[in-house]
Amino acid sequence: QRPVASGDLIQVAGFKGYVQGVTTRSTLLMTVEGNHVQIPNATIYKDVITNFTTNPNTRFDFVVGVGYDCSVSEAQSVAMEVLTEHQAVVQDPEPQVLIDALGSATVNLRVYFWVNTQKFSGIKVKSAVIRLVKNALEQAGTSMPDDAREVVFPSGVPVRMISDPADAPVVTAVPTPALEGPSVPADEPKAHEA
């Protein structure tokens, strides 16, 4: 039935690579790292074959975290605008920007998009899209904080100034009550096109 042809990117028997040639006894693959792998046809035709070339469109995704103080729907719109304007991003199936998780310091958005990998390099397009989404979010004033860690000292923290003499009394800093987090704007839509 010829499930593979020369030049196809396939994964079989634990190897992923481009088909270089098929003989009556074996199939020669060149892995994505550039190594040649010769696999007996008996192994190939008994194993599950994933052919990445049959459908030219490949889906990619990445996560970007935005601050809790930001409008999530606005961040989705900004990322969606980048996807719709990029020439290498396929519009059918349509790209999506969905809320993936609530992190310790960020609302994590997962950006999904499709690339025709017969025309464009998928990893290069993904790199460009990540860069453009980051730049667009920064220009829109959207914060992208790092993961926060909170250390709690229930009994306070002993503090001594460097300039104080060694026998000076130690002052204990009393912990302050936690600040109230930002509230969600009242006009935040429940559903959003992005």
Side-chain angles (χ1 to χ4, degrees), residues 95-174:
Q96 296 179 322
V97 181
L98 305 175
I99 297 174
D100 187 58
L102 299 176
S104 57
T106 58
V107 177
N108 295 331
L109 304 178
R110 187 170 294 274
V111 180
Y112 296 96
F113 60 97
W114 294 76
V115 177
N116 183 330
T117 51
Q118 289 182 348
K119 293 182 179 178
F120 303 99
S121 167
I123 57 173
K124 288 182 180 179
V125 173
K126 180 178 178 180
S127 174
V129 169
I130 292 173
R131 176 176 48 82
L132 292 171
V133 167
K134 174 192 173 288
N135 291 344
L137 288 172
E138 285 177 345
Q139 288 177 1
T142 304
S143 66
M144 293 176 282
D146 193 7
D147 283 342
R149 298 289 183 267
E150 183 179 3
V151 180
V152 178
F153 296 92
S155 302
V157 180
V159 177
R160 177 181 292 158
M161 301 302 290
I162 295 174
S163 60
D164 289 348
D167 58 346
V170 175
V171 178
T172 301
V174 180

Side-chain angles (χ1 to χ4, degrees), residues 4 11 30 46 62 91 96 108 145 157-159:
V4 299
Q11 183 166 333
M30 183 178 70
K46 288 180 184 176
F62 64 92
Q91 298 305 311
Q96 296 179 322
N108 295 331
V157 180
V159 177

Side-chain angles (χ1 to χ4, degrees), residues 17-83:
Y18 294 92
V19 176
Q20 299 298 295
V22 180
T23 67
T24 55
R25 300 191 65 179
S26 65
T27 299
L28 180 64
L29 294 183
M30 183 178 70
T31 66
V32 290
E33 294 83 17
N35 301 318
H36 282 112
V37 178
Q38 193 161 346
I39 305 172
N41 286 338
T43 302
I44 287 197
Y45 292 113
K46 288 180 184 176
D47 206 342
V48 175
I49 301 172
T50 304
N51 192 327
F52 298 98
T53 308
T54 306
N55 179 9
N57 295 335
T58 304
R59 192 182 78 176
F60 295 88
D61 67 277
F62 64 92
V63 174
V64 60
V66 298
Y68 278 97
D69 58 338
C70 300
S71 167
V72 175
S73 58
E74 183 180 329
Q76 287 177 295
S77 295
V78 169
M80 195 67 179
E81 187 176 345
V82 171
L83 296 173

